[in-house]
Amino acid sequence: TIVVRGEGTDTAVVSTLVDNHFEAGVLIVRKLVEGTGADKYGTGQFGFKATCEYNNEEILAEDFTLGADETKTFGVFPAGTICSVEETDAVGAHETALDPEDGLVTIVGPAFEEGVEPALVGVTHVNATNVFHTGSLEVEKFVVGDGAALRGQGPFEVQVSCTYEQNGETVDVELPDSGKLVLSEQNGYRASIEGIYAGAQCTVIETEDGGADETEIGPDDGHIIVEADEVAYVSVVNTFYDVADPDPTPDPTPDPNGGGDGGGGLSKT
């Protein structure tokens, strides 16, 4: 005798499916994550709802969660039971897909193959796949002005911060070195951050300008959106004005006697 009980409901179906050799099966829901951001952003618990009906009677209604590559099994159910699986929380995934497409399946009994001992129950699958995309951000430094050669060698530092929206909440993107980038002669005054959540809004500010007289960050004062599989480019331009030599060579002090080689003194008689 098999007791089929839906968690969270009082419904219970008692049958003699196996004892009397009636066909029966289970439902297995599996979560998959894909894309360049799967390892970083697809680590949460994804929300689902599963419902099943047999002979127009609800025998399962359950909310549950799954992590990446996890599965959950429901049943045993009589063959012919109709089940529906819905993903209720995609945890910020850029794309979601159910297989079958509508998440609607009919429970089947075990497959029979000549010469092979059949399984006790059949298996019906629903796979839920979420795709997470990423992009990158590149920052490049330029120095201009008459004083750039003397004063604009750096190194310089910029601070990058990025956020995105998930279920109505603002989420901070975790960035390497907390988003600090050093721009110096060693890296050609260019640095980048990869693996940023696609669609994130990023802000770049300069925290060490090397004493520049003016700073211009573009586009949009360093505010930019990172798109999937693309590089968001930000330029930081520092202007250095020309200044007088801070340690000029002093003019020689004139000799009151005409000094030096005597060319300017009075002749003696």
Side-chain angles (χ1 to χ4, degrees):
T1 300
I2 298 174
V3 178
V4 178
R5 191 179 302 276
E7 185 174 326
T9 176
D10 293 330
T11 301
V13 177
V14 180
S15 67
T16 55
L17 298 174
V18 175
D19 291 346
N20 294 318
H21 306 290
F22 292 113
E23 292 188 352
V26 296
L27 169 68
I28 299 179
V29 182
R30 182 183 183 189
K31 162 54 61 182
L32 302 170
V33 293
E34 299 177 353
T36 55
D39 291 342
K40 184 174 182 179
Y41 303 103
T43 60
Q45 289 292 306
F46 301 84
F48 292 90
K49 183 177 181 65
T51 58
C52 294
E53 290 186 359
Y54 183 69
N55 286 341
N56 296 318
E57 182 178 3
E58 186 176 82
I59 57 176
L60 174 71
E62 182 175 337
D63 295 313
F64 62 100
T65 61
L66 290 174
D69 296 323
E70 292 182 348
T71 62
K72 188 171 180 64
T73 301
F74 300 94
V76 175
F77 300 134
T81 297
I82 298 175
C83 296
S84 175
V85 177
E86 174 189 2
E87 186 168 29
T88 57
D89 186 357
V91 195
H94 296 95
E95 301 172 25
T96 62
L98 291 174
D99 181 19
E101 185 175 352
D102 57 3
L104 190 65
V105 293
T106 300
I107 300 299
V108 297
F112 293 94
E113 184 178 347
E114 186 176 352
V116 178
E117 184 177 352
L120 290 177
V121 295
V123 178
T124 302
H125 294 274
V126 174
N127 293 329
T129 303
N130 293 59
V131 183
F132 293 85
H133 296 292
T134 61
S136 58
L137 174 72
E138 182 176 286
V139 182
E140 187 171 9
K141 162 68 62 179
F142 297 92
V143 292
V144 298
D146 293 337
L150 179 64
R151 303 166 49 216
Q153 302 306 305
F156 307 91
E157 291 184 8
V158 298
Q159 179 66 48
V160 180
S161 59
C162 301
T163 62
Y164 64 95
E165 296 298 315
Q166 178 181 313
N167 297 335
E169 297 183 359
T170 301
V171 180
D172 293 324
V173 178
E174 293 185 10
L175 302 176
D177 203 15
S178 300
K180 184 179 77 172
L181 295 177
V182 178
L183 307 171
S184 66
E185 184 177 4
Q186 284 69 32
N187 61 13
Y189 299 100
R190 183 191 297 253
S192 62
I193 300 175
E194 299 180 346
I196 299 175
Y197 181 90
Q201 300 187 33
C202 296
T203 301
V204 178
I205 61 173
E206 188 165 41
T207 54
E208 178 52 65
D209 63 6
D213 299 296
E214 295 181 9
T215 298
E216 182 178 352
I217 303 178
D220 196 22
D221 294 326
H223 299 281
I224 196 167
I225 296 176
V226 175
E227 303 291 350
D229 304 316
E230 295 185 5
V231 179
Y233 178 79
V234 175
S235 63
V236 181
V237 181
N238 292 124
T239 301
F240 293 87
Y241 299 145
D242 191 15
V243 294
D245 189 344
D247 297 306
T249 302
D251 294 331
T253 303
D255 188 336
N257 296 319
D261 58 6
L266 299 176
S267 60
K268 296 183 180 179
T269 56

